[in-house]
Amino acid sequence: MKNKTHTALPAFKLLWLTPFLLVIVSLFIGQSARAQDTDCNDASVLQHTFASGASWSACAHVSEVHGLEVSHIAYRAPGDSSRSVMASVNVAQILLHYHDKANAEPQFSPSDSDTDDSVPSQTLRLNERTCDGEILGTDAQPDSFCSRIKNNRILAKFGQTPSLQSEAWEVYSVMLRESLTWNISWTFTEDGQIRPRVSVSGRPSRTQLDSQFSQNARNDIPRLTRASVLATWRLVPAMDTDAPDRIEQFDFPLDVAQGNRRAMQITPITQEALLQVEREQFRGWRIIDTTGAGYYMDPANQGYSYASNEYDWANYDVAITRYDACEQYASGNITSNDNGTCGAHLNDYVNAESLTDEVPVFWYSQSRQLTPGIEDWPVLSDVQIGFDLLPFDWTATSPFEVVE
């Protein structure tokens, strides 16, 4: 019998109609790099190896302010060495804006200038009912996050043979604020993708009487006031080698004169900036190391826009800044530390500093509308916000070749 080789399909195969496919069809092509440092200090050491031989390692801890933070993230493709991917990733702020109020309510309250009436968040201690995997934590935060394995998309397919399925490793924590529950998760797939997610559910605290669902006015049904949710993530890359990473912007403008073609345009981001998605140009960004290995951030599911009169940074989709350890939160940031004074919010961080030979920080914001119906009383249905980071150029050929 002849040997049969299964060739890996990119997990982003469903997006093949969009022009940025040209950027990422070369999934995982790259060169050698260093191994991952697993000194997690007070955080928990996490590691998972899939049946294919692919593996992830990371450090994790839960902050009372912003939930689960993952750091020292490394990925190893089958047959390859473990390579650094991200220095740290976390949710930097969540804005909840009820439509009957003038301003949004930040869900994270880290600032030292918060008023006494600010509502703190509380980390939920997990149990077998709230975690269907392994319950983990630290000495300071026991039982504070959950690790579980989930089925993923098709990993490889060849001809008429059965497809190979992949798995994903998910780590999440749960925060309670007022009567709402915030689930903050990071999913690491077998083929190297990273999927940040924020979801909200719980019992409505802001209600109004709404009789449109009731035939009897005496039986008016209270329902959750409509709201917008804006989640902002903070990603500090550490791709492959110790050399500073760089960020590039990809655009695919429509050229009618050339037969409605979309030529790919790559623009290096060389200084701090606030940016928009520009859906008509299929805009995306990639974080890349000097070896060529990196990740592509595709905002394909950025279907909503949010406008704020109070927070100017919230009117943008992306911010790129130079790394500063004190710049942790998109709003409500602690403004004083041992090294001096920090900015209070994301706009303060973006002041056109050069990114050349510096560590960049990628801030990404995404919004959703909460438009509850009768089915959301008395418990709000789970609403998710998230995106995918797609790997490229990490190994010379597909690492997922299976011979039968």
Side-chain angles (χ1 to χ4, degrees):
M1 180 179 296
K2 295 182 178 180
N3 291 340
K4 297 179 181 179
T5 301
H6 293 264
T7 303
L9 291 179
F12 42 81
K13 62 187 186 319
L14 297 179
L15 305 177
W16 64 275
L17 289 176
T18 56
F20 62 78
L21 179 63
L22 297 175
V23 180
I24 51 183
V25 292
S26 56
L27 179 66
F28 291 124
I29 303 173
Q31 300 175 23
S32 62
R34 58 186 171 83
Q36 167 67 23
D37 179 9
T38 57
D39 182 8
C40 293
N41 297 320
D42 295 332
S44 293
V45 179
L46 302 181
Q47 198 277 336
H48 179 74
T49 300
F50 299 96
S52 64
S55 68
W56 287 93
S57 63
C59 306
H61 76 278
V62 173
S63 164
E64 284 286 3
V65 176
H66 59 231
L68 182 64
E69 178 175 346
V70 187
S71 61
H72 295 85
I73 303 171
Y75 174 72
R76 181 173 66 84
D80 195 17
S81 60
S82 179
R83 309 204 208 172
S84 175
V85 174
M86 291 281 173
S88 66
V89 293
N90 64 274
V91 180
Q93 188 54 272
I94 298 174
L95 298 181
L96 178 62
H97 192 170
Y98 291 102
H99 291 181
D100 62 349
K101 300 294 182 181
N103 297 318
E105 299 177 4
Q107 300 302 290
F108 298 164
S109 301
S111 176
D112 48 9
S113 62
D114 282 341
T115 59
D116 292 336
D117 59 355
S118 62
V119 180
S121 58
Q122 176 185 358
T123 300
L124 178 68
R125 293 193 65 170
L126 303 177
N127 54 41
E128 62 277 0
R129 293 185 296 106
T130 52
C131 172
D132 58 356
E134 182 180 4
I135 300 173
L136 302 170
T138 62
D139 291 340
Q141 291 282 355
D143 306 331
S144 56
F145 55 93
C146 179
S147 170
R148 63 178 180 175
I149 305 303
K150 302 165 58 178
N151 290 329
N152 196 40
R153 302 163 183 165
I154 293 176
L155 178 62
K157 173 69 176 174
F158 177 78
Q160 301 302 314
T161 61
S163 60
L164 300 178
Q165 298 295 319
S166 66
E167 291 183 329
W169 176 39
E170 181 185 62
V171 184
Y172 68 87
S173 68
V174 180
M175 297 175 60
L176 305 177
R177 191 175 189 275
E178 294 184 321
S179 61
L180 293 178
T181 300
W182 298 92
N183 183 304
I184 297 173
S185 68
W186 296 88
T187 299
F188 306 95
T189 71
E190 192 167 353
D191 57 357
Q193 296 183 62
I194 303 175
R195 298 175 186 159
R197 293 288 185 274
V198 169
S199 65
V200 58
S201 59
R203 294 186 176 275
S205 60
R206 299 290 183 88
T207 59
Q208 59 191 29
L209 291 179
D210 190 343
S211 59
Q212 64 173 309
F213 301 112
S214 175
Q215 296 179 354
N216 188 338
R218 292 175 298 179
N219 296 323
D220 285 341
I221 300 172
R223 66 180 176 90
L224 182 67
T225 302
R226 293 183 179 184
S228 298
V229 178
L230 181 77
T232 301
W233 288 266
R234 175 179 179 268
L235 310 175
V236 182
M239 300 287 170
D240 210 357
T241 70
D242 290 327
D245 300 316
R246 63 185 188 275
I247 297 178
E248 298 173 330
Q249 179 173 289
F250 282 73
D251 288 292
F252 300 85
L254 181 65
D255 190 338
V256 178
Q258 296 296 323
N260 291 333
R261 295 183 179 180
R262 290 183 178 270
M264 182 172 64
Q265 296 180 355
I266 304 176
T267 305
I269 306 298
T270 58
Q271 65 180 29
E272 296 179 324
L274 291 164
L275 304 167
Q276 299 285 20
V277 164
E278 296 292 346
R279 299 170 182 82
E280 295 81 3
Q281 297 193 43
F282 298 94
R283 176 172 292 175
W285 293 268
R286 74 174 178 183
I287 307 168
I288 188 170
D289 185 66
T290 55
T291 63
Y295 274 77
Y296 188 83
M297 206 294 291
D298 167 43
N301 58 347
Q302 180 73 295
Y304 297 89
S305 295
Y306 177 74
S308 174
N309 295 324
E310 184 178 11
Y311 302 106
D312 184 58
W313 60 267
N315 296 310
Y316 296 88
D317 303 307
V318 170
I320 299 173
T321 64
R322 188 168 75 178
Y323 176 80
D324 188 327
C326 75
E327 296 174 352
Q328 293 286 326
Y329 300 94
S331 67
N333 194 56
I334 298 174
T335 56
S336 62
N337 66 3
D338 295 338
N339 298 323
T341 301
C342 297
H345 49 75
L346 188 50
N347 282 97
D348 296 333
Y349 315 155
V350 183
N351 49 14
E353 289 184 303
S354 173
L355 298 175
T356 304
D357 296 326
E358 299 288 343
V359 176
V361 180
F362 191 90
W363 308 73
Y364 179 60
S365 297
Q366 192 175 66
S367 64
R368 283 289 302 273
Q369 300 292 314
L370 298 182
T371 309
I374 188 173
E375 68 277 5
D376 293 302
W377 179 263
V379 178
L380 175 69
S381 301
D382 182 76
V383 176
Q384 291 195 8
I385 311 173
F387 61 99
D388 294 350
L389 289 167
L390 309 175
F392 64 91
D393 289 4
W394 286 84
T395 58
T397 60
S398 168
F400 299 101
E401 294 183 347
V402 178
V403 178
E404 294 181 353

